[in-house]
Amino acid sequence: MDNQTPILSARNLHICFNLRGRVLHAIRGIDLDIYKGEVLAIVGESGSGKSVFTKSFMGLLDANGSITEGTIDYYGADDGKTIRLSGLKKEKDWLKVRGHEIAMIMQDPMTSLNPLKTIGDQIAEAVELHQHLKGKAAREKAIEYLRDVGIPDPERRAKQYPHEFSGGMRQRVVIAIAVACNPQILICDEPTTALDVTIQAQILELLKEMRVKYNLTIVLITHDLGVVANIADRVAVMYAGDIVEIGTADEIYYDPRHPYTWALLSSMPQMGVKGEDLFNIQGTPPNLFAEIRGDAFAPRNPQALKIDFVKQPPYFTVSPTHRAKTWLLDPRAPKIEPPAVVQRLREEGI
Ligand SMILES: Nc1ncnc2c1ncn2[C@@H]1O[C@H](COP(=O)(O)OP(=O)(O)OP(=O)(O)O)[C@@H](O)[C@H]1O
Ligand SMILES: [Mg+2]
């Protein structure tokens, strides 16, 4: 990983949706640099804004949503020019970004595949659009991609349709199509949630290989911190439309600072103790229609401080790579020990 070069930066990003005259504030002032070549995991509960945030990189927000403040800049274009993604309006401009610069893989591979076209044709189409190859050359290249993503007997499989593939194999095909577009950034939105555990691990392994082979920057979205431990270089923890903690994977697993990160770690299935109920984060995320005061997680944090209900914490720096938005890092804060699970992770590893 090249630690120095951001490929995409979001600054003070706000995204709102209009819903029958009311405004839902889905993304609330995100600042983030994504570095070239890294695997960045974005974790957080359902509704925390993981999909909305990353869809905004590709102009894929639903029609009732828009960026209301802040910027997203992309630095990976061939000509070296910065593209201000938050300023793109025309579909024509987005078509130059989608697939070609930034590609996305969704949870359900069926939604991204055309049931009426062979797998080979679908990959060849991506090759023709993005790689200046036509006809037979594109079809041959498609077979190469199928082989790359671990589909056995690719010549024969290329002639088959999506329904002839298992869930895991379909997700491999979707990865092949994404890679065939030659993107710089690959966003994987819960790519393995619908798959069983063994297949899940295989797909993550494949993403690791693809990242090296095709020089990809990968953004991996998940609600389960346990799943990404082996693949992520850095982890960003999202809560109520903001990144409340970010650090290297080691920092997030072994030295987490935000009470919400503690809660997420405690609720990982592998941290369960036999015979005991798995830890569940109590309460529900805040209502994003209402204005949020203080630390958004405070109402669910049994050890919240007074100030947590009054003032939003800024980022406090833990290390050059690690920061968290929690008043616990203020020098004046009382010392609150992380839960036992954090200690256990430190001792036993993940
Ligand atoms: N078109 C829309 N109109 C109104 N609200 C929306 C729209 N799309 C998303 N939202 C809201 O934005 C917030 C963030 O949603 P998002 O889909 O990004 O969550 P997520 O973290 O991806 O959750 P999940 O893990 O369930 O996929 C949620 O409150 C959601 O209801
Ligand atoms: Mg989502």
Side-chain angles (χ1 to χ4, degrees):
M1 178 175 77
D2 171 358
N3 257 319
Q4 306 305 316
T5 323
I7 187 163
L8 184 145
S9 299
R11 288 288 174 271
N12 188 32
L13 189 72
H14 290 259
I15 295 174
C16 289
F17 290 97
N18 277 303
L19 218 54
R20 288 174 233 107
R22 297 166 75 205
V23 175
L24 183 143
H25 200 165
I27 298 299
R28 303 183 310 120
I30 290 187
D31 284 304
L32 174 71
D33 289 320
I34 298 173
Y35 299 123
K36 196 166 166 44
E38 76 170 331
V39 177
L40 172 73
I42 300 184
V43 296
E45 277 167 295
S46 186
S48 56
K50 306 179 296 294
S51 298
V52 166
F53 177 48
T54 46
K55 277 181 178 171
S56 71
F57 306 171
M58 299 179 71
L60 292 176
L61 291 177
D62 294 335
N64 64 333
S66 61
I67 296 173
T68 51
E69 216 183 312
T71 54
I72 308 170
D73 285 325
Y74 173 73
Y75 311 110
D78 304 338
D79 60 6
K81 286 196 186 127
T82 300
I83 304 178
R84 175 142 292 188
L85 299 176
S86 49
L88 296 187
K89 295 272 182 295
K90 294 191 204 106
E91 200 58 16
K92 181 178 94 223
D93 294 329
W94 278 116
L95 290 179
K96 289 183 201 144
V97 173
R98 280 184 210 141
H100 193 62
E101 305 289 352
I102 308 177
M104 196 165 203
I105 291 169
M106 312 277 191
Q107 178 176 338
D108 177 6
M110 256 339 215
T111 55
S112 357
L113 294 172
N114 183 337
L116 304 176
K117 279 189 184 161
T118 65
I119 293 297
D121 282 351
Q122 295 186 54
I123 304 175
E125 250 170 44
V127 171
E128 290 197 342
L129 260 171
H130 296 280
Q131 297 193 30
H132 308 293
L133 290 173
K134 294 268 169 282
K136 188 156 177 272
R139 283 199 302 279
E140 273 166 12
K141 189 86 189 173
I143 290 168
E144 226 174 90
Y145 281 116
L146 275 179
R147 190 172 291 120
D148 265 1
V149 295
I151 306 255
D153 198 2
E155 285 88 358
R156 185 177 62 85
R157 297 292 260 167
K159 297 190 193 105
Q160 295 184 323
Y161 292 86
H163 73 265
E164 297 173 83
F165 286 67
S166 67
M169 286 294 161
R170 268 183 220 139
Q171 200 56 300
R172 285 176 190 268
V173 170
V174 173
I175 293 171
I177 294 174
V179 172
C181 300
N182 246 340
Q184 299 285 325
I185 303 180
L186 184 62
I187 299 168
C188 307
D189 193 346
E190 307 256 8
T192 62
T193 312
L195 306 171
D196 75 45
V197 183
T198 343
I199 312 283
Q200 189 170 331
Q202 290 170 5
I203 297 288
L204 291 176
E205 215 34 59
L206 172 65
L207 286 174
K208 264 194 201 170
E209 283 169 29
M210 294 288 113
R211 168 231 197 152
V212 174
K213 179 151 191 195
Y214 294 103
N215 271 321
L216 296 168
T217 303
I218 294 184
V219 178
L220 186 55
I221 296 174
T222 172
H223 56 264
D224 183 353
L225 257 169
V227 167
V228 292
N230 285 324
I231 179 172
D233 298 307
R234 287 196 305 155
V235 177
V237 178
M238 270 191 85
Y239 189 73
D242 198 4
I243 293 174
V244 296
E245 181 160 11
I246 185 165
T248 64
D250 277 355
E251 285 166 336
I252 297 300
Y253 290 104
Y254 304 128
D255 189 23
R257 300 303 181 104
H258 198 289
Y260 179 62
T261 312
W262 295 347
L264 269 186
L265 287 166
S266 306
S267 57
M268 292 192 303
Q270 65 263 51
M271 295 322 286
V273 176
K274 224 176 164 183
E276 284 177 27
D277 283 342
L278 187 62
F279 175 82
N280 235 323
I281 307 177
Q282 53 175 279
T284 49
N287 173 5
L288 297 174
F289 285 111
E291 196 190 326
I292 295 175
R293 219 170 148 218
D295 181 331
F297 187 59
R300 303 173 75 186
N301 175 9
Q303 291 163 299
L305 310 173
K306 252 194 208 141
I307 189 170
D308 284 331
F309 294 95
V310 182
K311 205 169 166 200
Q312 194 187 352
Y315 272 126
F316 288 92
T317 302
V318 183
S319 83
T321 46
H322 187 187
R323 61 203 168 118
K325 284 186 176 175
T326 167
W327 286 116
L328 288 181
L329 289 169
D330 188 288
R332 291 161 294 182
K335 183 137 182 62
I336 290 182
E337 287 298 328
V341 77
V342 170
Q343 194 59 37
R344 238 170 78 215
L345 270 170
R346 254 180 229 157
E347 283 158 13
E348 297 168 19
I350 186 159

